[in-house]
Structure formats: structure tokens, C-alpha cells
Amino acid sequence: MSNVNEHLELAYRCAIESMVLLENDGTLPLKNVDRIALFGPGARYTLYGGGGSGSVNSLHPISIYEGLLDAGYQVTSQNWLERFSGLFRKAEEQVLSKLQRALFTFNVNKIGQAVMDEVTLPELNVTQTHIESSPGDAAIYVLTRQSGEGRDRTLTPGSYYLTEGEKDSIQRLSKAYNKFILVINSGAPVDMEFMKDMNHVNAIIFMGQPGCMAGKALADILNGTANPCGKLTDSWPISYKDIYHGKHFGNISGNLKQTHYKERGLVGDRYFDSQNVPVRYSFGYGLSYTRFSIDRPDISIEKSKVTVSVTVKNTGSAPGKEVVQVYAGKAFSAGMGEPRVLVGFAKTELLPRGGRETLNIEFDTKDLATFREKEGRFRVDAGEYAIYVGNSLDNTAKPIPIYIPEESFLSRIRKPTPSTSRRTLQIIDSVEKVVSQISDEDKIALCVGTGMLDNKMPSPAQGSVGHTAYHLAHLGVNNLEMADGPSGLRLQTRYGIYPDGKRKMITPQMNALNYLPGYIKRFIFADPNKCEIVEQPTTAFPVGTSMAQTWNLNLLEEMGRAISEEMTDFNVAFWLAPAVNIHRNPLCGRNFEYYSEDPLLAGKCAAAVIRGVQSIPGHISVIKHFCCNNQEDNRMASNSVVDICTLRDIYLRVFEIAIREGKPKGVMTSYNRINGIHAAANEFLILQVLRDEWYYDGIVMTDWNSSMVTKAHDSIKAGVDLIMPGSKRDIKDITKAIKKKTLDTENIEVSCRRVLRAYFDYTLG
């Protein structure tokens, strides 16, 4: 069993480095503060992760309220907190009632949506009476926003915008207390236009959704035990109206069937920077309790390799870390300006006062290539480029020119040399032995997995979301477990084992299951008094966006390794993560799972996590959702209409970087259509780009229940190896297609071998 305390300490370090200090007039770190008046929905009900499959259960979540108490503060706002808890309990009852109504409709879609729903945090305005009963040296308001799978945020108060009650509460608190801190507990940006009417907000912290150690980490940042060093991975606009073609996002456009990517490659900072549109907080922005100087860099070029050497010095009064970011001015691509894009970055160690560190940041001029539709390939233009170095996109020093003498066309990934290691040969030999003994029917069944509700084989990882097929157990090929959770393993934290061997949940993997009616819970929940209780103490790390805000690839890799250790503990073979889709718009419901609006940063973060997970032999990291999964509303039917240059330069590039540098053994397709063809049956994406151009030879699986909108045989034909979670209907569909010769048996031969290869890779350990 891995060391739980070590993983919690790692989760704490991740949380510390993920939080971004947005504003500070010197109030932070807090000094001479003993009593804190704490308000806001996230005070006791802190959101340490998002909803849906991106959620992770933990035995050890620490709320902001608990973190402040543990740090020695006296929380004086007990009256408000108790009243809010009462409202929260009523909200739970409403979820239970809604779920019960859905069950009686016998409508699968309505039931599924009800199960995905989280408890909506109620709103309780802070009144003058609450303030008078809450004396304090400082006040904190926790602005909280929920989001999750299956539903996008909206351009309404309580979602992207603040409600009038929230604005009134913040205004009232900021005037009543000498020290007032606004904490934003959200997986994505919120509208900040309300700040123009606020004159007394002393500090703002974007807490994000920082995992199970949230409260402890925030308390230590507030009191100065730790120094914030996170940087934003998205641009925060002054107004939503400033987002280029923001009106063409799903629920804003009014058309959930077609989403036109009219902004082309000008996503996020690329638009704001190229068009000189001011933002509230720029890409890469984040404050510290200390100051740093960044010396003018030395730049050396050897062939296509560029090295930027820069020295950072802590010139302030507190130890801290700084992130150095390198941007390059690119030539125009298809008439669209991209004057500065991120090409590299590095984070210092913890520098003491007066301490310095020299960082060497490398990039390849080939990374400046953009896709040219007429040539059908990537090209780097000859000419002069400018290198910008700083600690955010809006804070860079005078540019330094470099010259690329001639244009070049390139293929970004070289064909790998086949491995001849003893392990690889042993896996191949084991695969061929099994293939020689099984029927065509067995091979088809291998390409169809099973879901969390299939109980024919006892699951060694209770709460896992799915498994590979188990019908070849007589040949020693057992099912492999799959677990969700881009921030850890989403399993049941507690389950029961009965004397006859049956296993039932005590704490479910999905929070909504707690709100099932009692007559249903009696069948699927264990009675703790009649069974042996088993714990699965998984760690909830910060969500994807928060981890990217650390800009610390070593930390991301360390997190991946810790997750992999827990995979060993609980017999999980496939970790269905990381999720790397681009933050095209702040309203996407699953942005918290994803890393950034920038493909380079997101790709490198994902690669680091993958390396950590797969550092334990046999473990499989499944990168998702391939691709253009930038909208949750109507996600199984929506069509992403995107031109080839934008697709190649932004939405495929993030996957390319992650696959090239991280080498994941698994890829999951998305639900949506891309230019009219569902991702799970898209031969261009899977066979041409993923297989032929990137030489990817790992397993490709569908997202859950994709075969409801895409025929299973079409997915296999397009290069998918594993239909998840699969069903007898899918097996019949594939069998029928082979008989009709609309699917070649060679497709099944290739796919079943990949599934078996994953199995033997895992069992060899």
C-alpha cells in the first residue's frame, strides 16, 4: 500500500502552487489577525473538484472553514454558517426529490441527467445583522461556482456572472472590515466587471478547485506560511463581450447542434494579444508576496534548437518561486495574426531573499510551424522572429530578434523504431498464443468492454467505471479495471464485502447516488453492520486547470506517479485521464478538467502527468477527449465546424505534443462530431492523423456509450480498438457487419491484438 500521508503532503504542495494571487494591496499575508469572519457558499462546502466523471472522492477533504480553524484562527461568523448549512440540507432534499421524479419517468436520459446533477449551492446574502454578530480582524467571502460533465455554464447571474446578492454581500463586507479578501472557488473564470464598483476589496485569490487539501493550503497562503506562485493558464477578459466570437458558443448562439469555430486560431490570448484588446488578467499572470528581477536573457541557436538562458533573482522580502515564460512572434498564417505565442517556460526552485537561479529554456524553431492548407503540411517561414521573455504575456521585456534563414516544411513526429526489448517480445509472444487459441467470436468480444454495472466478475477496484472483457478467463486473460478522475482515482472510498463474497458500496463513486430513494439504496448499498468494511483511500489532487496553474512540470509528473501508485493499490490498469481539450470558451462545463487555452502549455502538462502514471510498468494513461470536446450541452450530437488550419494548429496540436512527449498507451475519442463525422468513427482523425502521421500504436477506446450515436462497427473500421462500455448489441452489430463484409476481419484482428497487448503489458508489471 502506498503512503497515504505522503500523497496528502504532495496534494498540499500541488494546491499551494496552483493558487493564483490576482490582487493584493499589501493586506496579504495577514498580520495581527486572530478573528476571521468567514462567509460564502464555499466556506464550509468548499469545492475541491468538479462534477461528473471529473470528480474524485477522498477520505480527507479539508474545507476552508476547517483549514482556518486548524491554522489557529477563530471563525466568528457561526450564525451565518449554521443558517447556510440548513439551506444546504434543504437543497439536498430537492436533489433527492428530483431524482425520484426522474426514476418514475423510466426515461433513461432524464434519469442519467438527474444522477449527474450535483447539489446546487444555495445563496444566503450577508446582511448587516450577520456582520454585527461576526466581529473580526479580517473578513473573507468565498465566491463559489459549480460545473461538471454534461452541462455548460451559462451567461447568467449565479453562473458566469455574479448575482445581485453576491455583489451586495461583497460590497457590504468590504466596507465593514478593514481587511477583506475575496476567494474565488471555481474551476474556471468568472466575470469580474463588478469590481469596477468595489473600492474596498483588499485582495483576491483565485483558489480554483485545489483538491482535498484545499482548506489547509489556503490558510497557509493567507497567513504567509506559503507564498502564492501560481500563474493563470487563461486570459480573463474585462467583459465576456471581449471574447472573439464568444457569441458562437453553444448555449449563447442558440444552436446546440452546430458550433462554428469562427475565431479560427485566435483563441484566448492569441486574439487579445494580436488585436491589442485589453484584458483584466493576462495569460501567465499571477502575483507573489515577494519581487523578482529577470535579467536580459542570452539566446543561442544551434541549427533549429534555440536556448534561452535567463537568471532570476528574488529581490523582495520573502522566499518565493517565479515562472519565466518565453514567447515568440510568428509570421502570419493564412492571414491571421499570431504575433506572440508561448514556446517555452520554466519555474524556479524556492528562492530565498536575495537568491538567484539561472534557467535554460529550450525550444525548436520547428515548433513555430503552422499548417498551410494549400500545401497540406506544416511550414516554418524564413525571416526575422522576436523572442519575448517575462513572467506573463503582458509583462515581457524588450524583444530579442532571431533569424531563420530559410523556410522549411516538416512532419512533426518521426516514425519510432520498433522495440526489441525482452519485455516487448514476451508481450508479443503471449498475445499470439492467445490469438491462436480463440475464435472469431472471442476476438470480437475482446473489442467490446463492460461497464460499472456488470457484476458477473467481482471487481477488484470497487467503483471503477468499466472493464475489459472477461470471457477469456479460462485462458488466463482476466478483466482490467478502468477508473475515471483526471485529478485522481474516482472509486468508492468505502465498500462492504459480505460472507458470500458479494461487494456493495458504502460511499459511492458518484455523489448523486447518495440521493437515491431508500428502497433503491437497500439493494445497491451495503449494510455496514452485516459486512466487512474496506477502505480505498484515494487522493483528490487539484483539478486540471489548477495543476496547470503551477507551471511546474516536475510537480505534475510527481502527481502522476502518486496516482499510479494508487492504481497499484487498488488494481486499476487504465486511468482515464488526462483530459487535454482546449479552453475555447470559459463557459464549457468541463474546463476544470482541462489545462489551458494554450496548446503548448496544455500538451506539456499532460505529457508530464502521463510520464508519471506510466512510470510504473503496465499502467495505462488514456488521454482524452480526441478531439474538439469544447461544449457539454448536447455533446453527443453537436457538430464542431472547424477549418483544417485551426484544427491542426490548436485542437490537434495539444494532443500531438502530449503524445509525442508523454507517449500515452491509450486515447479516448470524444462524443461530438467534427465537421459532420463523429469522433468515434472519424477515419481522418484516428487512422490518418493519429495512426499514420503520429505513428500512435496504442489502444483507442470510445467514450462511454458512444455507440448510442455511432455504430460499433463504424468505430472499429475507423481505428477504434475498444467499444466502451459495450453491450451485446455492439457485439451483434460488429458480427453482422463482418458477415455483410462492410467490416474487414483484419480490423478485428488488429484491434483485439492491441487489447491483449495492453492486458499482458499490465500483468507483466
Side-chain angles (χ1 to χ4, degrees), residues 469-490:
Y470 45 73
H471 66 288
L472 296 181
H474 62 286
L475 295 178
V477 180
N478 295 307
N479 55 311
L480 298 182
E481 300 298 310
M482 303 178 186
D484 265 327
S487 307
L489 299 181
R490 188 178 67 137

Side-chain angles (χ1 to χ4, degrees), residues 260-277:
H260 294 269
Y261 288 47
K262 293 191 175 184
E263 72 279 5
R264 294 173 67 87
L266 297 184
V267 179
D269 62 290
R270 297 179 183 224
Y271 167 70
F272 296 122
D273 187 55
S274 66
Q275 306 302 315
N276 294 314
V277 176

Side-chain angles (χ1 to χ4, degrees), residues 180-199:
F180 174 69
I181 301 101
L182 175 63
V183 174
I184 303 173
N185 177 207
S186 170
V190 295
D191 178 67
M192 299 293 287
E193 278 196 282
F194 74 94
M195 282 297 295
K196 67 179 183 293
D197 300 320
M198 304 286 171
N199 300 319

Side-chain angles (χ1 to χ4, degrees), residues 162-181:
L162 272 66
T163 66
E164 289 303 315
E166 288 171 329
K167 288 186 278 190
D168 289 344
S169 295
I170 292 170
Q171 182 76 288
R172 190 171 288 114
L173 289 167
S174 68
K175 290 180 178 179
Y177 295 87
N178 290 329
K179 297 178 179 179
F180 174 69
I181 301 101

Side-chain angles (χ1 to χ4, degrees), residues 275-466:
Q275 306 302 315
N276 294 314
V277 176
V279 294
R280 184 166 297 279
Y281 304 119
S282 74
F283 178 81
Y285 169 84
L287 299 176
S288 171
Y289 294 157
T290 191
R291 298 182 304 276
F292 298 94
S293 65
I294 300 176
D295 292 348
R296 184 169 176 80
D298 291 325
I299 297 180
S300 60
I301 304 176
E302 184 175 348
K303 295 183 179 179
S304 64
K305 302 292 183 181
V306 180
T307 301
V308 179
S309 181
V310 61
T311 299
V312 182
K313 181 179 179 181
N314 184 346
T315 60
S317 58
K321 296 184 178 184
E322 178 64 295
V323 177
V324 175
Q325 302 159 36
V326 179
Y327 299 87
K330 293 173 64 177
F332 289 104
S333 172
M336 304 294 282
E338 297 181 359
R340 296 191 296 176
V341 295
L342 185 72
V343 292
F345 59 92
K347 192 169 193 174
T348 67
E349 297 296 325
L350 184 67
L351 299 180
R353 289 181 297 174
R356 62 175 63 218
E357 181 179 350
T358 298
L359 301 172
N360 293 309
I361 302 170
E362 297 182 349
F363 71 94
D364 196 311
T365 57
K366 294 177 183 178
D367 294 335
L368 300 175
T370 52
F371 192 79
R372 310 306 168 92
E373 185 173 4
K374 289 184 178 180
E375 292 91 346
R377 51 185 174 175
F378 291 91
R379 186 176 77 195
V380 181
D381 292 323
E384 190 172 84
Y385 289 74
I387 303 300
Y388 303 81
V389 178
N391 63 0
S392 74
L393 181 57
D394 276 3
N395 188 32
T396 57
K398 184 178 179 180
I400 298 173
I402 64 170
Y403 189 75
I404 297 177
E406 57 184 18
E407 71 175 16
S408 59
F409 293 93
L410 67 147
S411 173
R412 279 194 168 131
I413 296 182
R414 293 181 178 179
K415 187 174 183 178
T417 302
S419 173
T420 57
S421 70
R422 182 178 178 181
R423 177 188 175 86
T424 300
L425 295 176
Q426 187 176 353
I427 291 171
I428 293 172
D429 183 59
S430 299
V431 168
E432 294 307 319
K433 283 183 179 178
V434 171
V435 170
S436 68
Q437 299 178 64
I438 61 177
S439 65
D440 289 343
E441 290 77 12
D442 287 332
K443 293 173 185 177
I444 292 171
L446 267 175
C447 300
V448 180
T450 58
M452 69 172 76
L453 300 179
D454 193 319
N455 297 318
K456 293 180 182 178
M457 289 284 287
S459 171
Q462 287 299 114
S464 61
V465 73

Side-chain angles (χ1 to χ4, degrees), residues 599-676:
L600 180 111
L601 177 59
K604 286 186 174 293
C605 287
V609 173
I610 293 164
R611 288 194 297 270
V613 171
Q614 295 185 171
S615 64
I616 295 181
H619 286 177
I620 299 168
S621 178
V622 182
I623 191 171
K624 63 184 185 183
H625 308 88
F626 190 65
C627 67
C628 293
N629 194 95
N630 308 112
Q631 170 184 318
E632 285 300 294
D633 290 342
N634 195 38
R635 58 183 178 165
M636 297 189 82
S638 65
N639 181 28
S640 299
V641 182
V642 53
D643 68 276
I644 189 63
C645 294
T646 302
L647 183 65
R648 293 277 196 172
D649 289 340
I650 304 291
Y651 299 97
L652 287 177
R653 189 178 181 223
V654 59
F655 283 93
E656 179 189 354
I657 293 169
I659 289 170
R660 179 181 63 201
E661 299 184 10
K663 298 179 174 57
K665 298 175 185 176
V667 171
M668 180 189 292
T669 58
S670 56
Y671 286 126
N672 56 294
R673 292 177 291 155
I674 298 93
N675 295 326

Side-chain angles (χ1 to χ4, degrees), residues 506-537:
I506 294 176
T507 54
Q509 66 270 33
M510 296 178 68
N511 185 54
L513 297 178
N514 284 312
Y515 305 112
L516 287 169
Y519 65 89
I520 293 179
K521 292 175 72 172
R522 282 194 293 272
F523 289 100
I524 64 175
F525 278 72
D527 182 344
N529 298 315
K530 297 181 180 179
C531 62
E532 176 190 352
I533 298 174
V534 179
E535 291 189 342
Q536 296 183 128

